[in-house]
Amino acid sequence: MSDTPLTPSPPAASLLCAELLQAHELRLRIDPAQLGFASTAELVQEPFSWIGQQRAQAAAEFGLAMDPPDYHLFVLGEEGSGRTSLLRQAMQAEAQRRPAAQDIAFVHNFAVPERPQALRLPAGQGRSLRRRIEAMVDKLPEQLDKAVQQAQHRSQIEQLYNQARQAEEAAFGTLHDWAQGSGLRIRREEGQLVVESQDSGPAGPGDAGCPDAGQPAADAPAALTAAERLQQPSAADADQLPPALQSDSQRPADTEADPALLLSPGDGAEQEGEDGAEAPSATAPADDLEYQLRVQLAQFRGLVRQAQMARDAALNLFYQSLATPLWQAASAQVLDGLTPSAEHGATLQRWLSQMQAEWLKNMALWVPGSIAQDADALLDQTDSIEGEGESQDARDDARALLEAKRKALRALSQLNLIVDHHGEAHAPVVLEDQPSLRNLFGTIDPPEDDERRSDFSCIRAGSVLRADGGFLMLHLRDLLGDEDSWQALRRVLRTRQLRIEDAHAAQGPSSSGAMLPELLALNFKLVLVGSEEAYYQLQESDPDMARRFRVKVDFADQFQASLATYRATAALMAQRCKLYQMPHCDAGAVARLLEQSHREADDQQRQSGRLNQLEALLLESAQRARQSGQPSGQHRLVQAADVEAALAAQRLRHNAMEQDLHAAITDGEHLISFAGSQVGQINGLSQIDTGDHRFGLPVRISALTHAGQEGVMNIEREVAMSGPIHDKGVLILQGYLTALFGHLAPLALNASVVFEQEYSGVEGDSASCAELYALLSSLSGMPLRQSIGVTGALNQHGEVLPVGGLNEKIEGWFDLCAAQGLDGSHGVLIPARNQRHLMLAERVVQAVEAGQFHVYTAEHVGQGLALLTGQCELPANAAHAVEEAQRLPIAVLQAAEATLLQYRLACQRADAARPRAQRARQRQMPKPVKRPPLD
């Protein structure tokens, strides 16, 4: 397809009177035959291209391919220009050319728990490492259990238990011998130590004097805990015992039971010395039998504890000797096939070594199941000295605590994989639509059951980490309301590093606030989407941040139309029809949609870059075609009539305000004249934009002139109801008048200009030509045609400048004239430089073609004044430069000059009538400032 722009025919030579346009000049019509297809169904396979955005495309491809830092992209453009979709497409295309990003994980730092360590692995290996670690932690206890079951290892373990049991029996023998010499007898009964007088009766079957009393099973290890209690004697022998050993019923009433006589495994702990013996009371007599019994029991307990500690230490070393080679083999299997970088490989090796040391140090947390079962059986079947009186609840509590510690150690031995690129073959592309602080940069989330505790497993990644090694897209409008996120993003772009922080740290002190995960180096490309105003504001307010975005991707809001852009736009319509499963469009419907694109751009040569509006119109047109489908249920193609109906429906949904304002004019509430001629009065054309709808509205502009020295007064400016652009236009008008009648200077003129019945403010300079016409009419006394609406801006040389909203202004004036009845006298006067911007509705074009409405163009204010006053008798001389005064109608100039001369004479007579002294004082007084200076 050709890229040659579609240009209209050049304008004709200018005349003194305004030029009348023909109907074919009022809008661009696209011939469906030149599009080269019958329907959009033929274009479904064509790719979605950068329609008319070649400059933005080149910038995006350059920026995305640049690897050095600070070449991030700032995307400018209007909403609906396709900037997000096109940049996402470009990011994905560039990502296809880059390798997959690395997985990122955190592990527990056994040396410094509050500083978790980071690991990076090739894509997919993070998940593999996590599975291997979990399998290793699950299988190692089983492997250790199998090793313990071997006969030689089992024999060594039983030997250690037998040694401890023999030491316990020796200690008990010593205690028994002392008891025999002191007149006491110690025996074991139902897991209890019973102390009684030798005179109380023969020794029971549990007496220590009996060879087989209380012996533990030969093949079972000794119990690990004990409970000791003094058995109360019978009532018959109570009198022969010391008072402290008597039962409560045999003591005096005021004698309380001594709690020291009921001994538990923890009794006497606060009084024991380093050797395990109980410290004697300073007040207890040396011959007190109870005191001596306490000392002996404390010594016995110390010997038993020493034997158990020696046994446990030997068992721990033995288990470590069995577990160490198992750990080394398992670690080798974990690392097999992994290919981290040298730095992160060393971190992984160091972490596995720390984990091995931690598990070996806590062998009790993964003692083989067979040993634990033997201990349970021993507690149930033997009267071993330690462990007597152990309740089932106490055993359950001990095992629950052991299981909790085991789970905690297992949790610390896992891998927290925060970024997983498993299955990905290319660099990541991330679009973050909710860029909060935690969503962007990650967080440390404490558990719900304990918000004051956190560890490495609570670390969560944000979009920045997920995009590391690839691309991240953000919308600036989502960031500007969050100062914390904006500052964090500035810091990340500056340092190219990230430390994940606790989201709750700012809410108050907590243990999780001390967590300082390892800093992570970043390498990602940021694509920031914003408006043109936001871009230049960033350049001015934050140059340090702005220099991070060295690539400006500027989407044009309109672009030059060509047959190539027409086909690309049609291909986009085809893809949208397929995406939403809507009927396709025939060539006529596409041509009408393209014409509407020109209308939205207000240009016969350029298309609008806001493709979302065109897409919405397409979908509404397709819905109408679907609703009026064939009786057989088949959908017909979308036709131009469907597009027209959709446009009419859009206007009807949004033009309530337009109808109300037009009704106020039709009903006479707003004064607008549509016929005849008036002096100092003209109908200007304005545009109102409500955001979702634009429409034109005429407004009466009137001017009054009289003798004076103040010049032109803008009433809207005096009451602060006009904007700076409108004020500028009035001042330009005043300068032009001064230059036009400079030969009469100084001008003796007071003039006032006002927009009648306008109460919401005025902005823009598109009415400056109409204001000039009203002033010249008032000065000359020559009436202006009221059937012609006027728009156009003025420069200091009298040239008419183009204005915006032209189509809406003309159509608004046309609709009101049509409501009054078109008689062939109605029309509009517009700048000649606006001719290419005409894309008028068909109803206007048809009225012009029928001679009921007219569109005039003017290059100079003289041409418009000639048309409005009917003074078009002198053509402009195209061969020679025309003096400024000769470009205006002579009759108007002569009448205006005559009026100004009369004003001067009136001022002179008034000045002469004042006393000479008063005139001198007045000349010496500073002239008051009537209006504030312009910025």
Side-chain angles (χ1 to χ4, degrees):
M1 303 293 287
S2 173
D3 289 329
T4 305
L6 302 175
T7 57
S9 58
S14 61
L15 303 174
L16 180 61
C17 194
E19 180 183 358
L20 177 64
L21 296 183
Q22 301 301 314
H24 68 272
E25 299 176 295
L26 302 183
R27 67 171 292 122
L28 172 68
R29 286 190 171 90
I30 298 176
D31 184 5
Q34 70 175 342
L35 297 179
F37 55 86
S39 76
T40 54
E42 304 173 18
L43 310 177
V44 171
Q45 301 303 324
E46 294 193 11
F48 178 51
S49 62
W50 296 63
I51 306 173
Q53 304 290 352
Q54 284 71 29
R55 177 177 55 187
Q57 181 181 10
E61 292 174 350
F62 165 78
L64 293 175
M66 285 291 290
D67 291 328
D70 295 341
Y71 275 87
H72 302 288
L73 287 72
F74 197 111
V75 183
L76 293 70
E78 294 292 333
E79 291 284 349
S81 60
R83 54 186 183 176
T84 300
S85 302
L86 290 170
L87 259 297
R88 181 171 62 246
Q89 175 181 296
M91 291 160 62
Q92 292 171 345
E94 180 62 29
Q96 296 291 321
R97 293 188 282 270
R98 300 194 178 199
Q102 292 180 321
D103 294 340
I104 303 176
F106 273 95
V107 295
H108 178 66
N109 189 339
F110 290 94
V112 189
E114 65 272 12
R115 293 181 178 270
Q117 296 173 296
L119 288 175
R120 287 183 183 266
L121 296 163
Q125 293 190 13
R127 182 179 296 190
S128 176
L129 176 61
R130 182 174 61 184
R131 287 198 301 262
R132 294 180 185 186
I133 294 294
E134 292 173 352
M136 180 183 70
V137 174
D138 289 337
K139 292 180 180 179
L140 274 174
E142 299 176 1
Q143 295 174 353
L144 181 59
D145 190 21
K146 292 180 181 179
V148 170
Q149 294 300 325
Q150 298 178 14
Q152 67 274 23
H153 298 155
R154 183 71 176 176
S155 174
Q156 295 180 44
I157 294 174
E158 291 176 353
Q159 183 179 357
L160 293 176
Y161 273 101
N162 288 334
Q163 291 174 359
R165 187 161 47 249
Q166 291 172 4
E168 294 174 8
E169 291 300 328
F172 184 73
T174 302
L175 177 63
H176 178 268
D177 293 343
W178 173 85
Q180 290 286 355
S182 300
L184 299 174
R185 182 166 48 214
I186 296 180
R187 60 185 175 86
R188 285 171 291 188
E189 182 180 299
E190 296 180 357
Q192 305 283 336
L193 279 179
V194 180
V195 181
E196 58 187 5
S197 172
Q198 292 181 0
D199 299 334
S200 61
D207 196 325
C210 299
D212 300 329
Q215 296 298 322
D219 60 345
L224 305 180
T225 59
E228 300 160 354
R229 181 179 65 82
L230 294 178
Q231 177 76 19
Q232 294 184 6
S234 62
D237 301 324
D239 295 337
Q240 302 178 10
L241 296 179
L245 299 181
Q246 297 179 2
S247 64
D248 292 345
S249 61
Q250 295 165 338
R251 291 187 203 144
D254 58 349
T255 301
E256 296 182 0
D258 188 350
L261 297 181
L262 300 176
L263 302 179
S264 64
D267 291 341
E270 298 178 356
Q271 300 176 358
E272 293 178 4
E274 294 182 359
D275 58 354
E278 189 178 68
S281 173
T283 60
D287 57 351
D288 187 344
L289 181 60
E290 180 182 351
Y291 168 75
Q292 295 176 12
L293 178 60
R294 286 178 179 275
V295 172
Q296 292 298 321
L297 289 175
Q299 292 176 351
F300 164 71
R301 188 162 47 246
L303 292 174
V304 171
R305 183 175 292 109
Q306 290 177 7
Q308 292 175 346
M309 292 175 61
R311 180 203 64 200
D312 292 343
L315 283 172
N316 192 58
L317 291 176
F318 178 72
Y319 289 144
Q320 288 182 3
S321 67
L322 295 179
T324 298
L326 298 177
W327 265 104
Q328 294 174 350
S331 298
Q333 292 179 356
V334 165
L335 297 176
D336 184 34
L338 299 182
T339 57
S341 63
E343 176 186 358
H344 293 283
T347 301
L348 180 56
Q349 288 274 14
R350 185 167 56 253
W351 175 62
L352 289 173
S353 299
Q354 291 177 350
M355 180 167 47
Q356 174 182 338
E358 191 71 19
W359 277 86
L360 293 178
K361 185 175 66 176
N362 294 275
M363 289 301 301
L365 298 182
W366 57 308
V367 171
S370 60
I371 303 299
Q373 292 173 5
D374 289 344
D376 288 340
L378 187 64
L379 287 171
D380 294 334
Q381 298 173 7
T382 186
D383 289 338
S384 178
I385 296 169
E386 287 287 356
E388 292 170 322
E390 188 80 14
S391 67
Q392 185 63 39
D393 291 342
R395 293 182 202 151
D396 293 342
D397 292 343
R399 278 164 175 71
L401 179 61
L402 189 69
E403 183 63 26
K405 291 182 178 180
R406 183 182 295 113
K407 288 182 178 180
L409 184 56
R410 282 177 54 87
L412 295 179
S413 304
Q414 301 301 317
L415 191 76
N416 182 12
L417 186 61
I418 63 174
V419 177
D420 184 8
H421 292 295
H422 176 76
E424 298 179 9
H426 308 290
V429 175
V430 179
L431 281 72
E432 181 55 70
D433 294 325
Q434 296 180 344
S436 62
L437 193 63
R438 61 182 298 133
N439 288 349
L440 269 181
F441 307 104
T443 185
I444 302 175
D445 282 332
E448 295 182 359
D449 57 345
D450 186 3
E451 294 187 356
R452 299 183 62 83
R453 177 186 64 83
S454 63
D455 55 30
F456 80 102
S457 64
C458 301
I459 299 175
R460 302 288 181 267
S463 299
V464 169
L465 275 185
R466 291 197 299 273
D468 189 40
F471 306 93
L472 172 64
M473 176 182 285
L474 301 175
H475 285 267
L476 181 60
R477 65 173 181 270
D478 298 328
L479 282 169
L480 293 180
D482 190 342
E483 183 64 21
D484 293 338
S485 297
W486 179 251
Q487 294 302 327
L489 182 63
R490 294 179 76 256
R491 183 166 57 251
V492 164
L493 294 182
R494 185 183 71 252
T495 64
R496 297 192 292 279
Q497 289 181 321
L498 172 65
R499 188 192 302 278
I500 300 178
E501 298 179 354
D502 181 11
H504 299 79
Q507 301 177 5
S510 66
S511 60
S512 62
M515 289 285 293
L516 290 175
E518 184 179 345
L519 273 172
L520 294 166
L522 297 174
N523 181 25
F524 70 99
K525 184 76 66 175
L526 176 61
V527 177
L528 190 60
V529 181
S531 64
E532 183 177 357
E533 294 79 5
Y535 174 79
Y536 291 109
Q537 183 178 0
L538 180 66
Q539 295 284 338
E540 180 179 356
S541 62
D542 195 347
D544 180 68
M545 181 65 168
R547 74 183 184 88
R548 311 293 172 193
F549 297 90
R550 294 181 176 175
V551 181
K552 174 184 175 183
V553 183
D554 194 356
F555 276 75
D557 55 354
Q558 31 180 270
F559 52 86
Q560 191 72 37
S562 66
L563 292 178
T565 63
Y566 287 168
R567 187 173 184 89
T569 306
L572 173 62
M573 299 177 192
Q575 294 172 8
R576 291 299 182 264
C577 290
K578 179 181 178 182
L579 176 64
Y580 298 111
Q581 298 181 350
M582 304 293 280
H584 280 277
C585 303
D586 64 14
V590 173
R592 184 63 188 90
L593 287 167
L594 291 173
E595 291 175 4
Q596 183 62 22
S597 177
H598 282 274
R599 166 62 184 255
E600 291 170 359
D602 288 329
D603 200 314
Q604 296 181 10
Q605 302 176 23
R606 306 178 71 84
Q607 290 180 247
S608 172
R610 302 183 67 178
L611 300 177
N612 66 328
Q613 295 181 346
L614 196 63
E615 179 180 336
L617 179 59
L618 166 67
L619 296 179
E620 294 177 23
S621 304
Q623 179 63 21
R624 290 185 173 274
R626 170 183 286 177
Q627 292 174 348
S628 59
Q630 302 294 334
S632 61
Q634 297 179 351
H635 301 311
R636 62 173 177 81
L637 294 176
V638 180
Q639 300 173 357
D642 298 316
V643 180
E644 291 289 356
L647 284 171
Q650 281 185 356
R651 182 181 181 187
L652 184 61
R653 290 196 300 268
H654 298 96
N655 71 343
M657 180 184 295
E658 176 184 9
Q659 290 183 345
D660 291 342
L661 293 176
H662 283 193
I665 294 175
T666 304
D667 296 341
E669 296 178 11
H670 287 256
L671 301 181
I672 297 292
S673 299
F674 294 93
S677 299
Q678 296 288 337
V679 175
Q681 176 180 306
I682 196 171
N683 293 323
L685 303 181
S686 67
Q687 178 200 235
I688 296 177
D689 189 347
T690 61
D692 59 356
H693 182 59
R694 296 185 303 172
F695 61 94
L697 186 72
V699 58
R700 174 179 290 182
I701 300 173
S702 61
L704 291 176
T705 58
H706 55 277
Q709 303 293 334
E710 296 184 359
V712 179
M713 179 181 67
N714 176 16
I715 293 180
E716 275 76 22
R717 177 190 173 102
E718 297 297 325
V719 297
M721 289 184 62
S722 62
I725 299 178
H726 178 260
D727 295 340
K728 177 183 178 181
V730 174
L731 293 177
I732 291 175
L733 181 156
Q734 185 171 355
Y736 177 74
L737 275 179
T738 302
L740 185 62
F741 299 104
H743 59 286
L744 301 178
L747 295 180
L749 173 68
N750 280 1
S752 61
V753 181
V754 66
F755 284 69
E756 295 185 2
Q757 293 183 289
E758 176 55 52
Y759 308 109
S760 58
V762 178
E763 177 60 318
D765 61 352
S766 63
S768 55
C769 282
E771 291 171 320
L772 175 64
Y773 297 149
L775 282 172
L776 290 176
S777 174
S778 179
L779 280 173
S780 65
M782 301 192 69
L784 302 175
R785 293 173 59 181
Q786 302 298 295
S787 59
I788 297 179
V790 178
T791 185
L794 173 73
N795 70 5
Q796 293 190 101
H797 302 290
E799 296 172 330
V800 181
L801 305 180
V803 296
L806 189 67
N807 294 295
E808 289 77 12
K809 293 176 180 179
I810 296 175
E811 290 170 2
W813 174 250
F814 171 82
D815 291 338
L816 287 169
C817 292
Q820 300 294 323
L822 296 174
D823 57 7
S825 65
H826 298 100
V828 292
L829 175 63
I830 64 173
R833 294 171 177 84
N834 270 129
Q835 179 178 340
R836 57 174 281 190
H837 302 136
L838 291 174
M839 284 295 298
L840 294 175
E842 281 294 336
R843 63 183 185 277
V844 182
V845 176
Q846 292 174 4
V848 170
E849 193 170 11
Q852 297 178 335
F853 192 79
H854 308 284
V855 178
Y856 301 94
T857 63
E859 294 183 355
H860 190 273
V861 291
Q863 296 173 309
L865 188 60
L867 172 67
L868 295 171
T869 58
Q871 305 292 324
C872 296
E873 68 279 2
L874 296 177
N877 188 346
H880 303 285
V882 181
E883 295 183 5
E884 188 65 29
Q886 295 179 356
R887 299 185 68 174
L888 294 175
I890 296 176
V892 176
L893 285 177
Q894 291 176 345
E897 289 178 1
T899 301
L900 288 173
L901 289 174
Q902 293 177 3
Y903 289 167
R904 177 182 292 182
L905 292 175
C907 290
Q908 290 175 350
R909 287 194 297 268
D911 187 62
R914 290 194 298 271
R916 181 175 299 176
Q918 181 180 358
R919 293 199 304 271
R921 287 195 302 270
Q922 187 173 1
R923 285 194 297 268
Q924 293 175 359
M925 292 176 61
K927 188 174 181 180
V929 179
K930 294 296 184 180
R931 57 179 67 90
L934 288 173
D935 294 334

